[in-house]
Amino acid sequence: MSEGSVTLKKLAEQFASLPGIGRKSAWRLAFHMLTLNKEQIEIFTNTLLDAHENIHKCSVCQNLTDLNVCEICSDQSRDHSIICVVEESRDIVVLEKSNSFNGLYHVLHGLISPLDGIGPDNLTIKHLLKRINGSKIKEVILATSPTIEGEATAMYISKLLKPMEIVVSRIAYGMPVGGELKYVDEITISKAIENRNKL
Amino acid sequence: MSEGSVTLKKLAEQFASLPGIGRKSAWRLAFHMLTLNKEQIEIFTNTLLDAHENIHKCSVCQNLTDLNVCEICSDQSRDHSIICVVEESRDIVVLEKSNSFNGLYHVLHGLISPLDGIGPDNLTIKHLLKRINGSKIKEVILATSPTIEGEATAMYISKLLKPMEIVVSRIAYGMPVGGELKYVDEITISKAIENRNKL
């Protein structure tokens, strides 16, 4: 069996190393790249190098940004009295798309996970506490995912925030909108029943 | 709604422009890239630039290669009396993985498709005829996909080859009709090679 062009194989391997890209997709992407012209390839590689060089954590909320203070933290039209705590930057992309929140964020860059050796000190929890201390923050929404690690992290932060005389809330559990009862797991259903709202 | 980091958005857009990468995957890949270190990013971009610069068509079979004559064409352990004609280079990757063929290849780089303005002259059919003329080629297997364009191209080439006193065969309909070669599993492909029919 011929392995084909070594350079091409290397390129396919690079793509295959990315998350969610299987062997066949990696080859398809490698071949696709050869159909682009020199300028398109340079735009692609330069965008990548540029992003890698210039994107860093916002000094306030720890979200990824090109600026010193990200555009959300410096936007005066947003509610600066409420912080939504999320696991990672891409959660902010989803929340912003939902148009359901107009306050500020705080990115933990992970969840407490003792099995993976990740403790509270590996997250940005100390930045959150420092940020809230002496500020006009009235509420913190803990929006980590409803997984074991997400729950544990929310509980941990909630205990630290309790003495600070601010409202600490947790995103609601329930049925995903558009989801069918028969396909939803039992724990979600029992949470949806438990948290039922009067009509 | 905040659009987030401009640089990051540009990077996600670059990924979204690739085939088979949706909006969500593009964002996931963009975030993933920021977790790599400088060296890993440089390996990625250099592999891409290197591939784009050095890969070209083999002067014999038109397959993509780093060499003047590709390693399949210059491999003396392969059967130089039989050519398998395929639509594009990635078809060779799949055929080689199936381990069902030990001859040479010829890459058409497309199929005859009048609706898309692609005629026989846009393909490498003339290179194929020139290559066969006066050579020791005994058989040509037409392994274009069993789609309308693939069939038409196979019929066209078959008519040109008939007067040349060589066996012209077509891969068997062991493949699902309408399927594309590059997406089919190895066993089906080796069956199709095994049951090829004389034309």
Side-chain angles (χ1 to χ4, degrees):
Chain A
M1 177 188 140
S2 161
E3 290 276 314
S5 158
V6 180
T7 316
L8 190 59
K9 205 180 161 222
K10 272 188 195 159
L11 183 58
E13 277 165 5
Q14 282 296 318
F15 278 112
S17 74
L18 304 180
I21 308 283
R23 197 173 48 85
K24 283 196 178 182
S25 297
W27 276 100
R28 188 185 56 215
L29 290 168
F31 279 115
H32 171 78
M33 284 303 180
L34 301 179
T35 67
L36 301 181
N37 62 37
K38 179 113 184 121
E39 197 196 336
Q40 290 170 309
I41 284 288
E42 278 170 359
I43 290 173
F44 188 91
T45 54
N46 289 340
T47 308
L48 193 49
L49 292 168
D50 188 35
H52 199 262
E53 183 139 339
N54 295 319
I55 296 177
H56 51 261
K57 292 175 186 168
C58 165
S59 61
V60 179
C61 73
Q62 313 295 316
N63 185 18
L64 297 174
T65 179
D66 324 301
L67 311 165
N68 177 31
V69 174
C70 80
E71 58 167 10
I72 293 178
C73 286
S74 53
D75 182 349
Q76 291 306 319
S77 73
R78 298 184 73 112
D79 184 349
H80 280 238
S81 71
I82 181 164
I83 292 178
C84 180
V85 176
V86 294
E87 179 188 346
E88 47 180 334
S89 290
R90 36 181 164 165
D91 297 333
I92 296 185
V93 176
V94 186
L95 279 158
E96 285 297 299
K97 285 225 169 77
S98 80
N99 266 322
S100 54
F101 181 71
N102 195 37
L104 306 179
Y105 292 97
H106 193 85
V107 183
L108 297 173
H109 290 288
L111 294 173
I112 297 171
S113 174
L115 286 178
D116 300 316
I118 303 171
D121 291 345
N122 301 113
L123 309 179
T124 63
I125 297 174
K126 50 190 175 296
H127 302 82
L128 176 66
L129 297 178
K130 200 175 159 191
R131 185 178 166 191
I132 293 169
N133 229 333
S135 75
K136 52 178 183 177
I137 300 295
K138 288 176 191 154
E139 181 176 354
V140 171
I141 305 176
L142 300 168
T144 51
S145 297
T147 56
I148 294 172
E149 290 83 4
E151 279 304 321
T153 308
M155 287 309 114
Y156 181 88
I157 297 175
S158 134
K159 274 182 194 158
L160 292 176
L161 296 181
K162 273 287 163 61
M164 297 175 100
E165 286 182 8
I166 47 174
V167 178
V168 180
S169 57
R170 178 91 177 101
I171 46 164
Y173 288 119
M175 289 281 301
V177 176
E180 287 184 58
L181 210 71
K182 58 183 174 240
Y183 299 129
V184 172
D185 66 280
E186 299 85 37
I187 300 168
T188 304
I189 288 178
S190 68
K191 286 286 178 194
I193 295 276
E194 198 182 306
N195 300 328
R196 65 190 179 275
N197 298 307
K198 282 190 186 166
L199 297 177
Chain B
M1 177 187 142
S2 159
E3 289 277 313
S5 158
V6 182
T7 316
L8 190 59
K9 207 180 159 219
K10 272 187 195 160
L11 183 58
E13 276 165 7
Q14 282 296 319
F15 278 112
S17 74
L18 304 180
I21 306 284
R23 199 173 46 85
K24 284 198 178 180
S25 297
W27 277 98
R28 188 185 56 214
L29 290 169
F31 280 115
H32 171 77
M33 284 302 179
L34 301 179
T35 67
L36 301 182
N37 63 36
K38 179 111 185 122
E39 196 196 338
Q40 289 170 308
I41 285 287
E42 278 171 359
I43 289 173
F44 188 91
T45 54
N46 289 340
T47 308
L48 193 48
L49 293 168
D50 187 36
H52 198 263
E53 182 139 340
N54 294 320
I55 296 177
H56 52 260
K57 292 175 186 168
C58 166
S59 59
V60 179
C61 74
Q62 313 296 316
N63 184 20
L64 297 173
T65 178
D66 324 301
L67 310 166
N68 178 32
V69 173
C70 81
E71 57 168 11
I72 293 178
C73 287
S74 53
D75 182 350
Q76 291 306 319
S77 73
R78 297 185 75 110
D79 184 349
H80 281 238
S81 71
I82 180 164
I83 292 178
C84 180
V85 177
V86 295
E87 179 189 346
E88 47 180 334
S89 290
R90 35 180 165 166
D91 296 334
I92 296 185
V93 176
V94 188
L95 279 158
E96 286 296 299
K97 285 224 170 77
S98 80
N99 267 321
S100 55
F101 180 71
N102 194 37
L104 306 179
Y105 291 98
H106 193 85
V107 183
L108 296 172
H109 289 289
L111 294 174
I112 297 172
S113 173
L115 286 178
D116 300 316
I118 302 170
D121 291 344
N122 301 113
L123 310 179
T124 64
I125 297 174
K126 51 189 175 296
H127 303 82
L128 176 65
L129 297 178
K130 201 175 158 189
R131 184 179 167 193
I132 294 170
N133 228 334
S135 74
K136 53 179 182 176
I137 301 295
K138 287 178 191 152
E139 181 176 355
V140 170
I141 305 176
L142 299 168
T144 51
S145 297
T147 56
I148 294 171
E149 291 83 4
E151 280 301 324
T153 308
M155 287 308 116
Y156 181 88
I157 297 175
S158 135
K159 274 181 196 159
L160 291 176
L161 295 182
K162 272 285 164 63
M164 297 176 99
E165 288 182 7
I166 46 174
V167 178
V168 181
S169 58
R170 177 91 176 101
I171 46 165
Y173 269 114
M175 305 187 32
V177 177
E180 291 189 54
L181 205 76
K182 57 190 170 247
Y183 300 126
V184 172
D185 66 282
E186 293 88 343
I187 299 166
T188 308
I189 286 179
S190 66
K191 282 285 171 201
I193 292 277
E194 196 183 309
N195 300 327
R196 66 187 183 272
N197 300 307
K198 281 188 187 172
L199 297 176

